[in-house]
């Protein structure tokens, strides 16, 4: 049972336009969400995160939106650049618990920026 | 500042063998987590080590075990290898347990034949 779902395996966007990557989760205990970016032959690189007490977090060209009632988050990249072509993973974690649950990841979305 | 490093980068083993993968955490980080990423899937949490003790574990059998050393580096050991253990094994370090961002190494690609 997948607790974090990224339903688009791939997404193609023209350079300069907005890229929107989506993620849904089912576990209401998750209270912290992260996006990682992964190039081939490299490990995932942390991009941006958001706490469940917020609905938006912005960092340069990257903005993450969280809709708790819909259990949905999205990553917006504006404007999209060729170097943004990579696999993007959505991840979630329950920070408020006493133990270490680890990050729960989606399957990833391969973003391709077309020149 | 040194990032997370993993060794070896690639490894080929046969079914039933044992394997040890190594990870050096980022400078100043005291927590190490291990993940398994099968082809076409997202990383799956194996376990986490904090202060040399296992601090949390995902849904993996006991033949997956680990160690953390006083310098915060870590090992992942897998006994009685199965074909399905073929995957990319990722190590991530952080300062503290669940409270902070995890930073990943490039991984070890394990192939079990």
């Amino acid at each position: 049972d997948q607790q974090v779902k990224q339903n688009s395996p791939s997404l193609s966007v023209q350079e300069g336009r907005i890229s929107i990557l989506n993620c849904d989760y089912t576990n209401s205990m998750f209270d912290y969400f992260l996006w990682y970016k992964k190039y081939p032959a490299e490990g995932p690189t942390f991009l941006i995160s958001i706490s469940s007490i917020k609905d938006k977090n912005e960092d340069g060209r990257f903005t993450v939106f969280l809709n708790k009632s819909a259990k949905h988050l999205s990553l917006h990249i504006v404007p999209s650049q060729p170097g943004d072509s990579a696999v993007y993973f959505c991840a979630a974690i329950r920070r408020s618990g006493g133990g270490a649950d680890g990050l729960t990841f989606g399957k990833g979305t391969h973003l391709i920026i077309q020149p | 500042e040194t990032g997370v490093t993993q060794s070896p980068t690639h490894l080929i083993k046969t079914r039933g063998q044992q394997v040890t993968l190594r990870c050096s955490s980022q400078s100043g980080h005291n927590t190490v987590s291990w993940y398994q990423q099968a082809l076409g899937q997202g990383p799956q949490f194996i376990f986490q080590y904090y202060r040399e003790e296992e601090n949390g574990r995902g849904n993996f059998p006991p033949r997956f075990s680990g160690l953390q050393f006083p310098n915060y580096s870590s090992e992942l050991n897998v006994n009685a290898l199965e074909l399905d253990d073929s995957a990319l094994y990722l190590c991530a370090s952080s300062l503290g347990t669940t409270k902070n961002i995890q930073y990943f190494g490039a991984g070890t690609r394990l192939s079990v034949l």
Side-chain angles (χ1 to χ4, degrees):
Chain A
D1 176 34
Q2 269 217 294
Q3 296 186 69
V4 176
K5 296 179 188 178
Q6 294 177 257
N7 291 320
S8 300
S10 67
L11 176 67
S12 185
V13 174
Q14 211 165 7
E15 183 180 353
R17 306 292 292 266
I18 182 171
S19 295
I20 300 176
L21 294 94
N22 293 304
C23 177
D24 298 294
Y25 63 96
T26 57
N27 188 341
S28 56
M29 300 298 288
F30 290 143
D31 55 12
Y32 197 71
F33 304 89
L34 309 91
W35 285 93
Y36 284 84
K37 169 178 165 180
K38 188 177 185 302
Y39 293 120
E42 294 184 13
T45 303
F46 169 70
L47 208 50
I48 192 168
S49 61
I50 187 166
S51 164
S52 60
I53 62 172
K54 296 186 174 181
D55 54 18
K56 177 182 172 181
N57 188 25
E58 203 169 344
D59 184 2
R61 296 187 298 115
F62 303 92
T63 303
V64 56
F65 295 92
L66 175 63
N67 182 334
K68 271 183 66 177
S69 59
K71 294 193 178 69
H72 177 83
L73 61 154
S74 61
L75 174 68
H76 292 211
I77 306 173
V78 184
S80 300
Q81 298 175 354
D84 296 332
S85 295
V87 177
Y88 288 78
F89 290 99
C90 171
I93 193 168
R94 182 177 63 112
R95 283 181 146 191
S96 55
D101 296 335
L103 295 170
T104 300
F105 283 85
K107 289 186 178 184
T109 296
H110 185 193
L111 177 64
I112 301 158
I113 305 301
Q114 306 275 11
Chain B
E1 187 179 87
T2 310
V4 179
T5 57
Q6 292 186 242
S7 63
T9 51
H10 294 88
L11 206 48
I12 299 174
K13 291 284 187 177
T14 54
R15 197 169 45 180
Q17 284 188 311
Q18 178 264 343
V19 69
T20 298
L21 310 181
R22 294 179 175 82
C23 172
S24 293
S25 59
Q26 184 167 315
S27 177
H29 286 183
N30 57 9
T31 304
V32 173
S33 302
W34 285 91
Y35 293 81
Q36 180 196 66
Q37 186 181 10
L39 206 59
Q41 304 294 315
Q44 258 196 298
F45 176 63
I46 303 175
F47 46 55
Q48 182 180 94
Y49 275 82
Y50 173 66
R51 292 184 174 176
E52 302 177 53
E53 291 198 4
E54 187 179 295
N55 187 48
R57 190 177 185 94
N59 190 23
F60 280 81
R63 60 188 185 84
F64 285 78
S65 63
L67 281 174
Q68 187 180 31
F69 300 99
N71 67 353
Y72 305 129
S73 66
S74 176
E75 284 182 356
L76 164 65
N77 298 291
V78 187
N79 292 322
L81 283 167
E82 300 176 1
L83 297 179
D84 283 350
D85 295 334
S86 295
L88 178 68
Y89 288 85
L90 294 162
C91 168
S93 73
S94 57
L95 182 59
T97 56
T98 60
K99 311 301 182 188
N100 292 286
I101 308 300
Q102 296 184 20
Y103 294 88
F104 285 82
T108 294
R109 173 73 62 189
L110 173 64
S111 298
V112 182
L113 307 178

